């Protein structure tokens, strides 16, 4: 069904039926419930802190567990933030925080997996693209530069790619 057809259909429904259908969607689909809960009670700062804590524990787990180093944890939060329409500054902050946390981890331990560095490059590219697209380059320039310099300082295998992204960012 196209948006136009849906619009026509919804226009024919009486208000009570429309409310019933919306309540059915709310009850049946958790995504709809999450969306409406966010719309009526955003608490973006709470979501941001929750995401940062989860990302931090990926690299520095509690109780001496082994670090999992999964990029997917941060990506889930980023995708969730984009879906909900969380403030662009908060989303960009989470994107950069993920890379900064990974760099703090690699400052202590050498990682030999090329996939890790490739995923950090992908995260960096995504963050820089998002920041640029949302006109926030001036606000995040210092952090973007710091991430690039850290990648070079630790001699990441793909440091040249970070350099290319940073040069295009400037």
């Amino acid at each position: 069904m196209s948006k136009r057809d849906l619009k026509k259909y919804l226009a024919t429904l009486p208000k009570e039926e429309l409310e019933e259908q919306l309540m059915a969607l709310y009850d049946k689909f958790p995504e709809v419930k999450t969306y409406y809960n966010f719309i009526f009670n955003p608490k973006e700062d709470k979501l941001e802190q929750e995401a940062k804590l989860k990302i931090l524990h990926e690299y520095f787990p509690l109780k001496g567990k082994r670090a999992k180093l999964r990029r997917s944890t941060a990506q889930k939060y980023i995708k969730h933030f984009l879906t909900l329409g969380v403030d662009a500054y908060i989303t960009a902050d989470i994107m950069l925080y993920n890379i900064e946390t990974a760099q703090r981890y690699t400052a202590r331990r050498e990682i030999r997996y090329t996939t890790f560095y490739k995923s950090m490059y992908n995260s960096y590219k995504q963050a820089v693209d998002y920041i640029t697209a949302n006109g926030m380059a001036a606000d995040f320039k210092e952090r973007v530069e710091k991430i690039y310099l850290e990648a070079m300082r630790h001699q990441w295998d793909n440091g040249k790619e970070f350099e290319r992204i940073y040069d295009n960012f400037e």
Side-chain angles (χ1 to χ4, degrees):
M1 177 181 269
S2 70
K3 270 187 172 180
R4 196 173 86 175
D5 292 341
L6 179 62
K7 224 176 179 180
K8 280 182 184 177
Y9 169 70
L10 293 175
T12 64
L13 291 177
K15 184 181 177 195
E16 294 78 26
E17 259 187 74
L18 194 57
E19 288 173 356
E20 284 176 28
Q21 283 192 14
L22 202 51
M23 289 306 295
L25 289 172
Y26 184 85
D27 291 336
K28 190 169 184 157
F29 298 103
E31 296 87 9
V32 174
K33 186 174 185 173
T34 302
Y35 174 76
Y36 277 107
N37 287 342
F38 178 76
I39 293 300
F40 292 112
N41 195 4
K43 293 186 183 178
E44 289 179 337
D45 55 334
K46 183 181 174 191
L47 283 173
E48 180 183 18
Q49 292 309 312
E50 179 186 315
K52 284 184 174 182
L53 189 63
K54 200 78 157 168
I55 291 167
L56 181 67
H57 290 159
E58 275 296 308
Y59 296 95
F60 302 101
L62 298 174
K63 300 179 184 174
K65 294 179 183 175
R66 195 166 166 231
K68 293 181 180 165
L69 313 174
R70 294 178 299 200
R71 176 179 179 247
S72 62
T73 300
Q75 287 306 112
K76 285 177 189 171
Y77 276 100
I78 292 165
K79 184 179 180 201
H80 185 63
F81 284 13
L82 292 172
T83 303
L84 289 177
V86 171
D87 183 65
Y89 285 90
I90 292 173
T91 305
D93 180 47
I94 292 296
M95 290 174 164
L96 296 176
Y97 179 80
N98 176 46
I99 304 164
E100 292 163 344
T101 305
Q103 286 184 325
R104 281 200 316 271
Y105 181 83
T106 60
R108 294 180 177 187
R109 283 203 156 113
E110 184 180 338
I111 297 178
R112 297 186 187 145
Y113 311 114
T114 55
T115 54
F116 172 80
Y117 296 106
K118 178 150 177 60
S119 72
M120 286 301 110
Y121 165 74
N122 289 336
S123 292
Y124 186 67
K125 183 175 179 356
Q126 178 191 24
V128 169
D129 289 347
Y130 183 79
I131 289 166
T132 304
N134 285 284
M136 302 180 293
D139 299 315
F140 290 100
K141 184 180 186 336
E142 188 177 311
R143 287 175 70 187
V144 168
E145 180 181 22
K146 187 177 177 189
I147 290 169
Y148 151 66
L149 293 173
E150 278 294 302
M152 297 305 281
R153 189 168 74 83
H154 290 292
Q155 299 176 342
W156 282 14
D157 294 343
N158 55 356
K160 290 291 182 195
E161 283 112 359
F162 276 82
E163 184 176 27
R164 192 173 75 296
I165 296 293
Y166 180 72
D167 288 344
N168 289 335
F169 177 71
E170 279 191 306

